[in-house]
Amino acid sequence: MKDRLFVEKRGSIGKDFINSLYILFKTALIHDLKNVALNSTVDKVIEFIHLLLAEDESFSLKVVQEHLFIDEVKIKVDIENFLASMFLIEEMKKRGVGSITFSTHLSIDELKRFIYAFISTDLKSPQSFEEFINKLTSLAVTRITIDRVKEEVENFDHVLEDTREMAKKIYFKTIAVASEIMDSEKLKNSAGIKKAKRLVQSMVDVMLQEESTLLGLTTLRAYDEYTYNHSVNVSILSIAMGQRLGYHRRELSELGIAALFHDIGKTGLPLELLNKPTEFTAEEWELMRKHPVNGVKTLLKLKGLQEQAIRMIMVSFEHHLNYDLSGYPKLATPRRVSLFGRITSIADCYDALTSARIYNRNPFIPDKALSFMVKKSNTAFDPILLKIFINVVGIYPVGTLLLLNTRELGVVTKANPTPTNIHKPRIKLITDPEGNEIDGNVIDLSENQGRSIVRSLDHRKYEINVSKYFQ
Ligand SMILES: [Fe+2]
Ligand SMILES: [Fe+2]
């Protein structure tokens, strides 16, 4: 397997390449190929092709299910390249093209001929792939070759499967390490923190490749030890927000680590209190409210953290302060809550509201938790960050059980990245219209004309274990 840096670099050049190719196709659809308007866009595409060819003789742009890959590296879809990705996937599929391979020494002229062959292919003909390939031959295009959509889907399933497997391993390992470190005895040991750092780094890497898997894992509630499960979830949700804010890998890791330890001040508290099934007494609340400051004290004693420690300390101190400082601890002098603090407090509240922990037997279902939080926009939460958070998890977050107009039930597997389609996530059908459990297809509600959401349901009432769809 190629190293992380390679994957990250390919991913980001790949994104630029896809965007430039999209602009080229769009320009070519309006202008004649001889038009000078095309020149600068062709130059851009060639520039990115050269960058992608820096280490190999050739590379392939592939469509696998709903994703684009540059060789084995999946190109992440975000708001900026969403249209470009959708366009290329659709246009390639229409022509029966599964992959386009670009080889060294490709000239500007040859690229133009390829574009011409591509856009002039008759899509109504069932033989459009053959027609396309004949055109390429007659135009003497040899440095760009095409392949049909084929069984490669299976091969790539392995790649996706591997990433998912890896995501799961990392998730559970991080929970284990978090529980190990938060055991106060081991806190003094910097080796544990280093381990946590490495794991958070791996989470960030998985996140950059396969965000929905990790977000899906946050719906798992199998752990008795709520605090560790919660800490890892808050870390994942914070990283996902950081990604939307355009943070780089290093900043994402710093945010992830700080979020992972936001409740470190709870380590000194007795388990009976943390897991108390009934309401807290006034004294118990007072004790609970000390955990942000206790966290600061604990973190100050940690060795080997250097500049990272400051951010961790801030997050521990600030995560219950609230945007308008109405939370705790009370401050003598008002000050603005740091960006990391504002991010983690949103992730923290959401995970706490949706978790079935011992003293919260009736947790909110995800979309209800979001509406509850929206009411506190501008008071408890930074309104812009809250909007970003909703965009991350979707109005119907991953794991939400939905009733459809067809009377089928489905579980959200992926939020829709397009802001205008945020209410149309991707779902897996789990029952037929009669209510019989099925291992149904994954469908995209934004593409599925016949199906729409009636409402979200509480999966616990239906005794449906939604997290099993992410395992
Ligand atoms: Fe907390
Ligand atoms: Fe928390």
Side-chain angles (χ1 to χ4, degrees):
M1 204 174 168
K2 305 268 181 160
D3 66 43
R4 275 201 303 253
L5 203 70
F6 175 86
V7 169
E8 211 174 299
K9 216 172 112 197
R10 281 237 129 166
S12 84
I13 302 171
K15 248 174 157 174
D16 291 337
F17 167 63
I18 283 160
N19 278 333
S20 66
L21 198 58
Y22 167 66
I23 296 167
L24 177 56
F25 277 124
K26 285 283 179 188
T27 321
L29 285 168
I30 311 166
H31 299 290
D32 186 73
L33 274 212
K34 293 191 181 70
N35 193 308
V36 285
L38 219 62
N39 291 349
S40 64
T41 52
V42 172
D43 287 350
K44 262 265 151 322
V45 175
I46 288 279
E47 191 186 317
F48 291 123
I49 289 177
H50 285 159
L51 284 174
L52 287 165
L53 285 172
E55 316 196 14
D56 267 317
E57 293 280 287
S58 68
F59 74 89
S60 301
L61 171 68
K62 305 181 187 189
V63 179
V64 181
Q65 290 156 356
E66 300 306 314
H67 298 284
L68 286 174
F69 282 72
I70 298 286
D71 293 330
E72 76 276 28
V73 178
K74 181 175 154 188
I75 304 303
K76 220 180 103 327
V77 177
D78 56 25
I79 292 165
E80 284 132 54
N81 71 354
F82 181 73
L83 281 179
S85 303
M86 291 305 113
F87 174 87
L88 289 177
I89 290 170
E90 209 173 297
E91 294 302 315
M92 282 170 74
K93 279 186 176 171
K94 275 188 200 162
R95 291 162 178 80
V97 176
S99 76
I100 306 174
T101 303
F102 298 83
S103 309
T104 44
H105 307 301
L106 171 69
S107 69
I108 288 178
D109 246 30
E110 200 170 343
L111 176 61
K112 281 186 178 173
R113 293 201 296 276
F114 172 82
I115 298 292
Y116 174 74
F118 191 97
I119 57 177
S120 65
T121 303
D122 177 12
L123 296 179
K124 290 194 190 81
S125 147
Q127 257 83 51
S128 57
F129 183 83
E130 283 74 16
E131 193 203 322
F132 187 15
I133 222 162
N134 290 339
K135 272 195 172 138
L136 292 177
T137 317
S138 67
L139 291 167
V141 177
T142 56
R143 301 200 178 275
I144 308 179
T145 52
I146 54 168
D147 276 301
R148 274 182 197 282
V149 182
K150 54 179 181 195
E151 338 70 64
E152 284 213 36
V153 168
E154 271 174 25
N155 298 339
F156 270 91
D157 269 352
H158 289 306
V159 177
L160 290 175
E161 222 22 75
D162 283 354
T163 321
R164 286 198 194 115
E165 274 308 308
M166 196 164 74
K168 260 182 266 172
K169 269 191 208 135
I170 292 167
Y171 180 77
F172 291 116
K173 194 123 192 256
T174 315
I175 292 180
V177 170
S179 69
E180 213 175 276
I181 294 169
M182 287 185 214
D183 172 343
S184 44
E185 278 309 295
K186 292 189 183 134
L187 258 178
K188 294 155 202 136
N189 183 348
S190 66
I193 303 277
K194 281 204 187 104
K195 225 187 205 174
K197 260 190 186 172
R198 275 199 300 274
L199 281 164
V200 168
Q201 224 133 55
S202 313
M203 290 207 296
V204 168
D205 289 332
V206 173
M207 210 61 159
L208 294 166
Q209 288 266 307
E210 183 60 33
E211 185 183 87
S212 54
T213 303
L214 267 187
L215 286 178
L217 287 171
T218 64
T219 64
L220 293 174
R221 306 291 181 203
Y223 273 74
D224 304 335
E225 313 229 43
Y226 162 74
T227 310
Y228 313 127
N229 200 157
H230 167 70
S231 302
V232 178
N233 291 350
V234 173
S235 179
I236 290 172
L237 293 166
S238 302
I239 295 170
M241 283 172 82
Q243 239 183 302
R244 295 297 195 284
L245 291 169
Y247 281 10
H248 294 296
R249 193 167 159 260
R250 207 187 128 174
E251 297 164 306
L252 289 174
S253 298
E254 284 177 358
L255 174 62
I257 281 276
L260 185 66
F261 292 105
H262 75 280
D263 272 339
I264 200 165
K266 285 186 180 171
T267 45
L269 295 174
L271 267 181
E272 305 83 75
L273 176 65
L274 291 176
N275 294 339
K276 195 183 173 196
T278 47
E279 286 284 304
F280 290 144
T281 62
E283 294 79 51
E284 284 167 340
W285 259 122
E286 203 180 315
L287 208 57
M288 278 301 274
R289 281 173 191 228
K290 282 188 179 145
H291 82 267
V293 174
N294 286 343
V296 174
K297 288 182 190 157
T298 310
L299 289 166
L300 282 171
K301 284 187 227 143
L302 286 183
K303 292 189 187 85
L305 277 172
Q306 295 121 15
E307 78 279 17
Q308 172 75 57
I310 307 289
R311 294 186 187 259
M312 293 169 78
I313 287 168
M314 296 275 263
V315 165
S316 172
F317 185 72
E318 295 177 338
H319 76 279
H320 291 288
L321 267 183
N322 284 350
Y323 183 58
D324 61 357
L325 305 178
S326 57
Y328 60 91
K330 287 282 168 244
L331 301 183
T333 338
R335 50 179 278 263
R336 193 170 154 79
V337 181
S338 75
L339 186 53
F340 274 21
R342 281 176 278 151
I343 292 173
T344 41
S345 75
I346 291 174
D348 179 37
C349 179
Y350 175 76
D351 189 70
L353 287 175
T354 52
S355 304
R357 49 188 160 155
I358 293 161
Y359 56 90
N360 182 14
R361 285 205 180 276
N362 291 311
F364 282 89
I365 57 174
D367 61 311
K368 297 288 179 300
L370 289 181
S371 355
F372 176 83
M373 287 170 74
V374 166
K375 288 192 197 115
K376 296 186 172 190
S377 178
N378 232 336
T379 51
F381 308 112
D382 179 326
I384 293 168
L385 289 178
L386 188 59
K387 276 194 187 139
I388 291 174
F389 183 71
I390 293 170
N391 187 266
V392 167
V393 292
I395 295 176
Y396 300 108
V398 170
T400 308
L401 180 66
L402 296 173
L403 171 66
L404 305 181
N405 59 336
T406 51
R407 307 209 57 77
E408 294 159 305
L409 294 184
V411 172
V412 178
T413 57
K414 194 175 182 184
N416 194 317
T418 324
T420 48
N421 270 336
I422 195 164
H423 55 294
K424 292 176 181 171
R426 183 172 297 206
I427 63 168
K428 181 179 172 61
L429 295 174
I430 61 162
T431 75
D432 62 14
E434 281 73 46
N436 305 309
E437 203 172 320
I438 55 163
D439 182 18
N441 293 333
V442 174
I443 56 166
D444 190 331
L445 287 179
S446 64
E447 286 170 6
N448 207 289
Q449 301 295 333
R451 291 187 176 95
S452 60
I453 296 170
V454 177
R455 63 170 180 278
S456 61
L457 302 170
D458 187 343
H459 60 87
R460 283 167 296 263
K461 282 191 193 135
Y462 290 78
E463 291 180 357
I464 289 169
N465 173 14
V466 286
S467 38
K468 81 173 182 200
Y469 299 103
F470 304 101
Q471 290 176 53

